[in-house]
Amino acid sequence: MRILVIEDDRKVAGFLEKGLREEGYSVDVAFDGDEGETNAYVYDYDALVVDVMLPGKNGYEIVRGLRKEGRSVPILLLTARDSTEDVVRGLDAGADDYLTKPFSLDELLARVRALARRGGSGRLDRLIYNDLELDRIQHLVRHRGELLDLTPKEFQLLEHFMLHPEEIVRRTELLEKVWDLQFDPGSNVVDVHVGNLRRKLRAKGAGGLITTVRGVGFMLHEGESG
């Protein structure tokens, strides 16, 4: 899952980014309303975490604009204001949930999981390919009913492959979607993690599903391992 955090307080933004990443999410951060709104239109996010008081456009304006354009991405508003009027204003703007500062990381993660369960338009909470089943809400993967013990990055890799079955997935795409990094031609981070994922799949009898497309990337399909 990819989440956008729009928060101008860099300490709070760093706290949110770290906590969400440790939970296995891919996270982008914007520090003002204008940049955040642009990112929300350009990229496909599974959820937004948006502070109300922002430089440029505020959180209410961002939510109203996205809803006016028909964007159904789940949105959690953050604010130091807890009056009923402020809560109603945020929900009327189109936010799905509202969290008052200060809050615990556990509470925020629970709210994000709840938003993910609701999902946006066309979101699939369960991905199935061959005998693999991936639960995007509970972060669980099973092969023929047997659980696989994957790290957060391995889970994200497999999730991306299962969202694009039988398509060539380039290394650059994986760096951007799973690691939020620009392409580094000297990095082997993708190959190392794909190798670890393959070994775990092979141990469960699914070792031939991810093949190498030499010089390009990888593909999830029914074939021999490469």
Side-chain angles (χ1 to χ4, degrees):
M1 288 180 60
R2 190 175 186 184
I3 295 176
L4 173 63
V5 173
I6 309 176
E7 168 63 69
D8 64 314
D9 185 320
R10 291 179 181 266
K11 184 176 180 180
V12 174
F15 166 76
L16 295 174
E17 181 180 13
K18 182 175 184 293
L20 289 165
R21 286 186 185 278
E22 288 177 350
E23 191 73 3
Y25 299 113
S26 179
V27 184
D28 292 341
V29 179
F31 298 108
D32 64 67
D34 295 328
E35 178 190 6
E37 184 180 55
T38 298
N39 287 353
Y41 279 112
V42 171
Y43 301 106
D44 182 22
Y45 293 103
D46 294 287
L48 307 184
V49 178
V50 184
D51 189 30
V52 169
M53 302 303 295
L54 293 164
K57 289 192 174 182
N58 64 42
Y60 299 132
E61 292 172 319
I62 293 172
V63 174
R64 279 196 296 269
L66 289 170
R67 297 305 188 229
K68 185 177 180 180
E69 293 296 320
R71 302 299 182 98
S72 59
V73 57
I75 300 174
L76 172 63
L77 278 180
L78 305 178
T79 183
R81 301 176 176 180
D82 61 356
S83 71
T84 301
E85 180 181 350
D86 289 318
V87 173
V88 170
R89 184 181 176 189
L91 297 177
D92 282 348
D96 297 274
D97 202 357
Y98 202 94
L99 189 56
T100 303
K101 299 177 181 179
F103 51 81
S104 70
L105 180 60
D106 286 342
E107 182 177 8
L108 179 123
L109 292 174
R111 300 291 185 98
V112 169
R113 286 193 295 270
L115 288 182
R117 280 194 291 272
R118 277 175 237 173
S121 176
R123 174 183 166 81
L124 297 175
D125 292 334
R126 182 179 299 175
L127 304 176
I128 297 174
Y129 183 81
N130 196 270
D131 293 321
L132 280 175
E133 180 179 338
L134 184 147
D135 188 322
R136 302 175 78 190
I137 302 302
Q138 299 186 50
H139 281 213
L140 298 176
V141 177
R142 291 181 172 86
H143 180 255
R144 297 176 181 170
E146 189 174 355
L147 278 173
L148 277 73
D149 182 17
L150 302 183
T151 67
K153 280 289 180 267
E154 291 163 358
F155 180 92
Q156 287 178 276
L157 275 172
L158 185 57
E159 178 185 35
H160 193 77
F161 286 132
M162 292 180 72
L163 285 168
H164 304 277
E166 301 178 8
E167 298 178 15
I168 295 175
V169 178
R170 296 178 178 273
R171 289 176 174 82
T172 51
E173 180 179 340
L174 292 171
L175 282 168
E176 178 187 349
K177 298 293 186 180
V178 178
W179 279 271
D180 301 329
L181 298 173
Q182 297 300 314
F183 180 53
D184 177 1
S187 173
N188 68 343
V189 64
V190 172
D191 297 80
V192 169
H193 281 79
V194 170
N196 291 337
L197 175 59
R198 277 173 165 162
R199 282 191 288 274
K200 292 183 179 182
L201 289 171
R202 188 178 301 116
K204 300 296 183 182
L209 290 178
I210 299 176
T211 65
T212 298
V213 181
R214 298 196 182 281
V216 181
F218 308 92
M219 180 186 292
L220 175 71
H221 73 129
E222 298 181 60
E224 298 299 322
S225 61

